[in-house]
PDB file of all heavy atoms in Angstrom:
ATOM      1  N   LEU A 317     -15.235  20.641   2.917  1.00 92.00           N
ATOM      2  CA  LEU A 317     -14.337  21.191   1.839  1.00 92.00           C
ATOM      3  C   LEU A 317     -14.168  22.785   2.083  1.00 92.00           C
ATOM      4  O   LEU A 317     -12.997  23.265   2.033  1.00 92.00           O
ATOM      5  CB  LEU A 317     -14.823  20.846   0.530  1.00 92.00           C
ATOM      6  CG  LEU A 317     -13.971  21.090  -0.686  1.00 92.00           C
ATOM      7  CD1 LEU A 317     -12.660  20.255  -0.468  1.00 92.00           C
ATOM      8  CD2 LEU A 317     -14.712  20.785  -1.934  1.00 92.00           C
ATOM      9  N   ARG A 321     -10.590  24.386   3.183  1.00 94.00           N
ATOM     10  CA  ARG A 321      -9.871  25.386   2.351  1.00 94.00           C
ATOM     11  C   ARG A 321      -9.505  26.611   3.322  1.00 94.00           C
ATOM     12  O   ARG A 321      -8.432  27.208   3.005  1.00 94.00           O
ATOM     13  CB  ARG A 321     -10.873  25.884   1.143  1.00 94.00           C
ATOM     14  CG  ARG A 321     -10.919  24.963   0.035  1.00 94.00           C
ATOM     15  CD  ARG A 321     -11.963  25.485  -1.042  1.00 94.00           C
ATOM     16  NE  ARG A 321     -11.941  24.729  -2.282  1.00 94.00           N
ATOM     17  CZ  ARG A 321     -11.251  25.111  -3.241  1.00 94.00           C
ATOM     18  NH1 ARG A 321     -10.534  26.201  -3.243  1.00 94.00           N
ATOM     19  NH2 ARG A 321     -11.208  24.443  -4.438  1.00 94.00           N
ATOM     20  N   VAL A 324      -6.361  25.632   5.387  1.00 95.00           N
ATOM     21  CA  VAL A 324      -5.069  25.444   4.618  1.00 95.00           C
ATOM     22  C   VAL A 324      -4.607  26.786   4.027  1.00 95.00           C
ATOM     23  O   VAL A 324      -3.505  27.110   4.001  1.00 95.00           O
ATOM     24  CB  VAL A 324      -5.114  24.433   3.489  1.00 95.00           C
ATOM     25  CG1 VAL A 324      -5.387  22.973   4.167  1.00 95.00           C
ATOM     26  CG2 VAL A 324      -6.183  24.731   2.477  1.00 95.00           C
ATOM     27  N   ILE A 356     -10.081  23.628  -7.954  1.00 92.00           N
ATOM     28  CA  ILE A 356      -9.620  22.374  -7.865  1.00 92.00           C
ATOM     29  C   ILE A 356     -10.687  21.372  -8.524  1.00 92.00           C
ATOM     30  O   ILE A 356     -11.921  21.421  -7.970  1.00 92.00           O
ATOM     31  CB  ILE A 356      -9.267  22.028  -6.421  1.00 92.00           C
ATOM     32  CG1 ILE A 356      -8.335  23.046  -5.827  1.00 92.00           C
ATOM     33  CG2 ILE A 356      -8.612  20.562  -6.358  1.00 92.00           C
ATOM     34  CD1 ILE A 356      -8.097  22.841  -4.306  1.00 92.00           C
ATOM     35  N   PHE A 358     -11.533  17.437  -8.442  1.00 93.00           N
ATOM     36  CA  PHE A 358     -11.271  16.201  -7.731  1.00 93.00           C
ATOM     37  C   PHE A 358     -11.790  15.079  -8.691  1.00 93.00           C
ATOM     38  O   PHE A 358     -12.835  15.144  -9.250  1.00 93.00           O
ATOM     39  CB  PHE A 358     -11.772  16.089  -6.392  1.00 93.00           C
ATOM     40  CG  PHE A 358     -11.173  17.084  -5.430  1.00 93.00           C
ATOM     41  CD1 PHE A 358     -12.022  18.215  -5.011  1.00 93.00           C
ATOM     42  CD2 PHE A 358      -9.930  16.868  -4.907  1.00 93.00           C
ATOM     43  CE1 PHE A 358     -11.440  19.070  -4.238  1.00 93.00           C
ATOM     44  CE2 PHE A 358      -9.396  17.807  -4.028  1.00 93.00           C
ATOM     45  CZ  PHE A 358     -10.134  18.996  -3.623  1.00 93.00           C
ATOM     46  N   VAL A 414      -7.189  13.990   0.759  1.00 95.00           N
ATOM     47  CA  VAL A 414      -7.875  15.135   0.067  1.00 95.00           C
ATOM     48  C   VAL A 414      -7.367  16.424   0.760  1.00 95.00           C
ATOM     49  O   VAL A 414      -7.055  17.286   0.122  1.00 95.00           O
ATOM     50  CB  VAL A 414      -9.444  14.967   0.272  1.00 95.00           C
ATOM     51  CG1 VAL A 414     -10.133  16.107  -0.461  1.00 95.00           C
ATOM     52  CG2 VAL A 414      -9.897  13.664  -0.324  1.00 95.00           C
ATOM     53  N   LEU A 415      -7.276  16.329   2.189  1.00 95.00           N
ATOM     54  CA  LEU A 415      -6.754  17.550   2.864  1.00 95.00           C
ATOM     55  C   LEU A 415      -5.246  17.867   2.430  1.00 95.00           C
ATOM     56  O   LEU A 415      -4.841  19.070   2.200  1.00 95.00           O
ATOM     57  CB  LEU A 415      -6.705  17.235   4.380  1.00 95.00           C
ATOM     58  CG  LEU A 415      -6.483  18.527   5.173  1.00 95.00           C
ATOM     59  CD1 LEU A 415      -7.507  19.629   4.999  1.00 95.00           C
ATOM     60  CD2 LEU A 415      -6.554  18.136   6.691  1.00 95.00           C
ATOM     61  N   ARG A 416      -4.300  16.841   2.131  1.00 96.00           N
ATOM     62  CA  ARG A 416      -3.040  17.169   1.717  1.00 96.00           C
ATOM     63  C   ARG A 416      -3.051  17.707   0.350  1.00 96.00           C
ATOM     64  O   ARG A 416      -2.305  18.698   0.041  1.00 96.00           O
ATOM     65  CB  ARG A 416      -2.271  15.838   1.693  1.00 96.00           C
ATOM     66  CG  ARG A 416      -1.924  15.129   3.098  1.00 96.00           C
ATOM     67  CD  ARG A 416      -1.150  13.922   2.983  1.00 96.00           C
ATOM     68  NE  ARG A 416       0.202  14.125   2.451  1.00 96.00           N
ATOM     69  CZ  ARG A 416       1.293  14.431   3.274  1.00 96.00           C
ATOM     70  NH1 ARG A 416       1.210  14.557   4.590  1.00 96.00           N
ATOM     71  NH2 ARG A 416       2.473  14.514   2.610  1.00 96.00           N
ATOM     72  N   SER A 417      -3.942  17.226  -0.571  1.00 95.00           N
ATOM     73  CA  SER A 417      -3.987  17.836  -1.900  1.00 95.00           C
ATOM     74  C   SER A 417      -4.445  19.212  -1.870  1.00 95.00           C
ATOM     75  O   SER A 417      -4.070  20.122  -2.684  1.00 95.00           O
ATOM     76  CB  SER A 417      -4.947  17.011  -2.760  1.00 95.00           C
ATOM     77  OG  SER A 417      -6.211  17.143  -2.433  1.00 95.00           O
ATOM     78  N   LEU A 418      -5.431  19.480  -0.899  1.00 95.00           N
ATOM     79  CA  LEU A 418      -5.885  20.969  -0.789  1.00 95.00           C
ATOM     80  C   LEU A 418      -4.702  21.932  -0.318  1.00 95.00           C
ATOM     81  O   LEU A 418      -4.496  22.963  -0.798  1.00 95.00           O
ATOM     82  CB  LEU A 418      -6.961  21.043   0.358  1.00 95.00           C
ATOM     83  CG  LEU A 418      -8.354  20.705  -0.091  1.00 95.00           C
ATOM     84  CD1 LEU A 418      -9.325  20.756   1.134  1.00 95.00           C
ATOM     85  CD2 LEU A 418      -8.820  21.798  -1.088  1.00 95.00           C
ATOM     86  N   TRP A 419      -3.827  21.350   0.604  1.00 96.00           N
ATOM     87  CA  TRP A 419      -2.786  22.170   1.065  1.00 96.00           C
ATOM     88  C   TRP A 419      -1.897  22.400  -0.058  1.00 96.00           C
ATOM     89  O   TRP A 419      -1.277  23.493  -0.257  1.00 96.00           O
ATOM     90  CB  TRP A 419      -2.073  21.398   2.245  1.00 96.00           C
ATOM     91  CG  TRP A 419      -1.157  22.257   2.999  1.00 96.00           C
ATOM     92  CD1 TRP A 419      -1.342  22.820   4.248  1.00 96.00           C
ATOM     93  CD2 TRP A 419       0.144  22.666   2.638  1.00 96.00           C
ATOM     94  NE1 TRP A 419      -0.354  23.530   4.638  1.00 96.00           N
ATOM     95  CE2 TRP A 419       0.716  23.359   3.669  1.00 96.00           C
ATOM     96  CE3 TRP A 419       1.013  22.322   1.572  1.00 96.00           C
ATOM     97  CZ2 TRP A 419       1.954  23.990   3.773  1.00 96.00           C
ATOM     98  CZ3 TRP A 419       2.338  22.920   1.631  1.00 96.00           C
ATOM     99  CH2 TRP A 419       2.823  23.653   2.681  1.00 96.00           C
ATOM    100  N   GLN A 420      -1.420  21.429  -0.877  1.00 96.00           N
ATOM    101  CA  GLN A 420      -0.538  21.591  -1.952  1.00 96.00           C
ATOM    102  C   GLN A 420      -0.988  22.610  -3.005  1.00 96.00           C
ATOM    103  O   GLN A 420      -0.437  23.421  -3.574  1.00 96.00           O
ATOM    104  CB  GLN A 420      -0.228  20.263  -2.695  1.00 96.00           C
ATOM    105  CG  GLN A 420       0.811  20.337  -3.701  1.00 96.00           C
ATOM    106  CD  GLN A 420       0.921  18.917  -4.477  1.00 96.00           C
ATOM    107  OE1 GLN A 420       0.291  18.004  -4.136  1.00 96.00           O
ATOM    108  NE2 GLN A 420       1.891  18.969  -5.436  1.00 96.00           N
ATOM    109  N   ALA A 421      -2.434  22.499  -3.299  1.00 94.00           N
ATOM    110  CA  ALA A 421      -3.021  23.367  -4.232  1.00 94.00           C
ATOM    111  C   ALA A 421      -2.851  24.709  -3.824  1.00 94.00           C
ATOM    112  O   ALA A 421      -2.590  25.635  -4.717  1.00 94.00           O
ATOM    113  CB  ALA A 421      -4.482  22.877  -4.683  1.00 94.00           C
ATOM    114  N   HIS A 422      -3.185  25.015  -2.638  1.00 95.00           N
ATOM    115  CA  HIS A 422      -3.122  26.354  -2.169  1.00 95.00           C
ATOM    116  C   HIS A 422      -1.691  26.979  -2.066  1.00 95.00           C
ATOM    117  O   HIS A 422      -1.368  28.045  -2.401  1.00 95.00           O
ATOM    118  CB  HIS A 422      -3.672  26.408  -0.629  1.00 95.00           C
ATOM    119  CG  HIS A 422      -5.098  26.577  -0.646  1.00 95.00           C
ATOM    120  ND1 HIS A 422      -5.826  27.775  -0.524  1.00 95.00           N
ATOM    121  CD2 HIS A 422      -6.242  25.645  -0.784  1.00 95.00           C
ATOM    122  CE1 HIS A 422      -7.235  27.551  -0.598  1.00 95.00           C
ATOM    123  NE2 HIS A 422      -7.356  26.312  -0.823  1.00 95.00           N
ATOM    124  N   LEU A 468     -13.861  14.912   4.317  1.00 90.00           N
ATOM    125  CA  LEU A 468     -13.563  15.203   2.907  1.00 90.00           C
ATOM    126  C   LEU A 468     -13.634  13.885   2.004  1.00 90.00           C
ATOM    127  O   LEU A 468     -12.756  13.097   2.232  1.00 90.00           O
ATOM    128  CB  LEU A 468     -12.120  15.842   2.776  1.00 90.00           C
ATOM    129  CG  LEU A 468     -11.908  17.128   3.499  1.00 90.00           C
ATOM    130  CD1 LEU A 468     -10.460  17.605   3.507  1.00 90.00           C
ATOM    131  CD2 LEU A 468     -12.800  18.268   2.995  1.00 90.00           C
TER     132      LEU A 468
END
Side-chain angles (χ1 to χ4, degrees):
L317 197 56
R321 282 176 171 268
V324 299
I356 308 174
F358 296 105
V414 182
L415 189 60
R416 289 177 70 87
S417 68
L418 276 178
W419 196 99
Q420 183 185 1
H422 278 264
L468 302 172

